[in-house]
Amino acid sequence: MQEETEIGILDILTKINDNTWEVPKSYKPFMRVPGRIFVSETLLHDLDKGTLDQVANVASLPGIQKYSMAMPDAHLGYGFPIGGVAAFDKEEGVISPGGVGFDINCGVRLIRTNLHKEDVRSHMKELVDELFRAIPSGVGSKSRIRASDSELDDIFLHGSKWAVENGYGEKTDLDHCEGRGCIEGADPSKVSEKARSRGKPQIGTLGSGNHFLEVQYVDKIYDQEAADAFGLEEGQVVFMIHCGSRGAGHQICTDYIKTISRASKKYGIQLPDKQLACAPAQSPEAQDYFKAMACAANYAWANRQVITHWTRAVFERFFGRDMDDLGMDLVYDVAHNVAKLEEHIIDGMKKEVYVHRKGATRAFPPGHHDLPDVYKAVGQPVLIPGSMGTPSYVLHGTEAGMGVAFGSACHGAGRVMSRAHAKHEFFGETVKENLEARGITVKATHPSVIAEEAPDAYKSSSEVVDVVHNLEIAKKVVRVLPMGVAKG
DNA sequence: ATGTGC
């Protein structure tokens, strides 16, 4: 059966180069552009036919530019594949909630320290316990902060800046966030009361699933100049925060899937899959979704900023040193699930497009105006978390990536097994013991969370990263390895 | 991913 699936895929795809496979326009009559799937021959064996079909389905949407794309970590998602990238013309194109996903601005940030791995290794269990205590995690977890109505409006409007101005972090943190931790054009009046009430008690909470807070160390340098610019060196302790917009973003997506589904019919858009519901980019429906999505994205940036502050506080207490002494600067913060209005050069012309990245990382090149001065020479830090217990990577964006993939790269390891299947296949306690035998401390709300996130339920983050590196969509800077993980 | 399942 497995064999048949593989043959099916190879019958459809045309090999462009070692890491690029095309879904020809002729594959389905509704395709407006070809699909492009960025995978190595090895990873092609993990590619599901359903994911390929989703790439083709996205290619049917009005105003799509160049290609419907999938990154090497792509797998089946709601309508659009996770690992999907698609850009739509600002005027003639569409905006689709399925192209962003339920966890709006699920993303990652990396914070450096002046600590060496040997300073923390023997204290890891206690440190993870402290982090677990300080940062609420798990489904439905509630924060020590409860946002008032006016605070929630500010969070929706200003993202990370709200957090910094309210004492959760440093002004310089903002320079080291994609878009300074904010999407412009957010409008809290477009967010339902239900989404608001879910959001109020959750600012500064980690969530569940693949979301985590990880203490890591830099284990390998690939690009010394870029590592220097990012403030990273071998043996150094760093920590990574991976989380999103929690219940608020989920509710906003749910609300607008209904609105946009009606709009698809109203505007007569033919859809090969209902889950691709979308509306003309400039329609009031699409613009309302965009304004609400921006609120969720900003909420997620504020959320990661508050968690950063509390994590810094844990380190300060734990090591009895202040954060300047500990050198806990934010390296960068990137979104993995978001739609943005960006300028790209298409067929030699500058053009504004709505780039949908769903399980994909923005990867802007050296010199781009959105980058802080310190990163202008090397390009944007691209943060790629591994699955639990496996390496994570920092890469930098490139000019080639702008041309090939609208300045985008992969976002992680990518599932090969559903959550349900993983829970059936693995025992959380055994997975935890295996990780501990390798010197990795894991603490979660429940063993089943560990089973769901077992490393074997995912592709290899290294193989995934090598594809974007070899294509030069983004280039490797450092590899980091986990020492301690706190998860929902 | 998600106050986890019509």
Side-chain angles (χ1 to χ4, degrees):
Chain A
M1 204 173 97
Q2 190 68 27
E3 200 66 17
E4 275 175 39
T5 311
E6 284 167 22
I7 290 163
I9 281 175
L10 289 173
D11 284 341
I12 299 160
L13 294 171
T14 308
K15 185 173 178 173
I16 303 293
N17 59 44
D18 284 348
N19 291 294
T20 308
W21 301 76
E22 181 155 300
V23 185
K25 237 178 97 170
S26 57
Y27 173 52
K28 297 277 183 188
F30 53 65
M31 289 173 72
R32 294 168 191 259
V33 294
R36 286 264 165 126
I37 303 178
F38 304 113
V39 276
S40 60
E41 222 148 314
T42 321
L43 285 171
L44 197 58
H45 294 291
D46 290 329
L47 184 75
D48 191 82
K49 167 80 159 38
T51 308
L52 186 157
D53 284 337
Q54 289 192 325
V55 171
N57 291 344
V58 171
S60 77
L61 300 179
I64 186 163
Q65 304 292 300
K66 287 167 78 173
Y67 306 104
S68 163
M69 288 175 280
M71 291 295 156
D73 47 342
H75 57 103
L76 211 61
Y78 178 90
F80 288 57
I82 294 164
V85 177
F88 301 93
D89 185 278
K90 185 189 171 189
E91 307 299 335
E92 308 298 321
V94 294
I95 297 176
S96 172
V100 173
F102 279 85
D103 192 2
I104 297 167
N105 192 5
C106 176
V108 184
R109 57 168 57 190
L110 184 76
I111 295 104
R112 69 178 300 286
T113 75
N114 287 335
L115 295 163
H116 191 269
K117 65 176 190 221
E118 300 312 327
D119 299 334
V120 304
R121 177 80 80 189
S122 54
H123 312 294
M124 196 46 63
K125 198 173 176 319
E126 294 78 7
L127 183 58
V128 169
D129 282 344
E130 289 297 323
L131 291 168
F132 198 81
R133 228 191 309 276
I135 290 103
S137 45
V139 177
S141 53
K142 284 194 166 63
S143 176
R144 286 178 266 167
I145 306 175
R146 194 180 197 288
S148 67
D149 276 303
S150 70
E151 281 172 322
L152 189 65
D153 285 344
D154 282 345
I155 291 166
F156 283 157
L157 284 168
H158 306 299
S160 288
K161 187 160 168 263
W162 169 84
V164 168
E165 286 182 350
N166 284 274
Y168 305 103
E170 308 294 311
K171 275 217 170 63
T172 51
D173 291 345
L174 301 180
D175 299 329
H176 292 194
C177 290
E178 171 177 334
R180 296 181 62 77
C182 185
I183 294 187
E184 282 174 38
D187 181 352
S189 77
K190 304 300 178 188
V191 177
S192 70
E193 202 46 53
K194 200 170 176 185
R196 291 181 68 93
S197 65
R198 289 181 72 175
K200 280 179 193 171
Q202 290 191 321
I203 200 77
T205 62
L206 195 60
S208 184
N210 66 352
H211 290 165
F212 64 72
L213 201 162
E214 200 164 89
V215 182
Q216 312 164 326
Y217 71 95
V218 177
D219 139 80
K220 194 169 181 177
I221 310 265
Y222 301 94
D223 179 337
Q224 191 62 52
E225 187 200 347
D228 288 345
F230 297 166
L232 299 173
E233 59 190 28
E234 204 174 320
Q236 170 189 32
V237 171
V238 294
F239 57 92
M240 189 176 265
I241 297 166
H242 180 200
C243 65
S245 52
R246 310 285 287 106
H250 191 273
Q251 189 63 46
I252 287 168
C253 180
T254 305
D255 292 340
Y256 277 93
I257 279 173
K258 290 175 199 150
T259 314
I260 299 287
S261 295
R262 285 194 295 271
S264 301
K265 293 197 191 86
K266 173 180 159 188
Y267 295 105
I269 299 171
Q270 302 286 320
L271 300 174
D273 174 358
K274 278 182 188 168
Q275 295 185 349
L276 294 172
C278 59
Q282 296 307 322
S283 67
E285 292 90 343
Q287 285 300 309
D288 284 356
Y289 165 69
F290 191 85
K291 290 166 187 166
M293 181 216 67
C295 289
N298 294 344
Y299 183 101
W301 270 308
N303 189 29
R304 290 196 287 275
Q305 183 64 44
V306 171
I307 293 172
T308 302
H309 181 69
W310 287 340
T311 305
R312 282 171 173 159
V314 167
F315 272 68
E316 286 181 322
R317 279 201 306 272
F318 197 87
F319 295 100
R321 295 162 66 179
D322 69 30
M323 75 156 269
D324 292 329
D325 185 31
L326 286 168
M328 288 192 284
D329 302 317
L330 178 59
V331 176
Y332 210 62
D333 178 307
V334 286
H336 283 166
N337 283 3
V338 89
K340 283 186 151 183
L341 185 60
E342 292 174 359
E343 192 176 89
H344 286 273
I345 296 168
I346 298 166
D347 300 330
M349 303 270 281
K350 270 190 189 171
K351 202 168 181 181
E352 280 194 293
V353 287
Y354 284 102
V355 183
H356 293 56
R357 297 189 183 91
K358 181 190 192 179
T361 314
R362 197 191 72 172
F364 277 175
H368 195 281
H369 62 77
D370 191 56
L371 302 184
D373 289 342
V374 284
Y375 301 154
K376 278 260 163 65
V378 291
Q380 182 206 303
V382 177
L383 310 175
I384 313 294
S387 54
M388 188 173 57
T390 66
S392 296
Y393 290 84
V394 181
L395 296 85
H396 70 77
T398 67
E399 204 54 57
M402 286 303 266
V404 171
F406 299 104
S408 315
C410 58
H411 86 307
R415 278 196 170 275
V416 285
M417 201 183 282
S418 70
R419 289 178 189 286
H421 189 176
K423 249 197 284 202
H424 186 255
E425 193 81 9
F426 308 112
F427 290 105
E429 293 295 351
T430 315
V431 174
K432 188 180 155 99
E433 280 165 25
N434 289 341
L435 289 168
E436 269 162 17
R438 288 169 41 212
I440 303 165
T441 304
V442 186
K443 196 174 168 75
T445 47
H446 195 272
S448 65
V449 176
I450 300 178
E452 283 180 7
E453 297 303 317
D456 291 341
Y458 283 85
K459 296 174 193 179
S460 149
S461 55
S462 306
E463 279 179 33
V464 165
V465 163
D466 279 343
V467 172
V468 298
H469 176 82
N470 292 336
L471 283 168
E472 303 196 356
I473 286 174
K475 298 289 285 179
K476 291 197 275 193
V477 178
V478 307
R479 180 174 73 186
V480 303
L481 295 179
M483 289 192 285
V485 194
K487 10 194 341 109

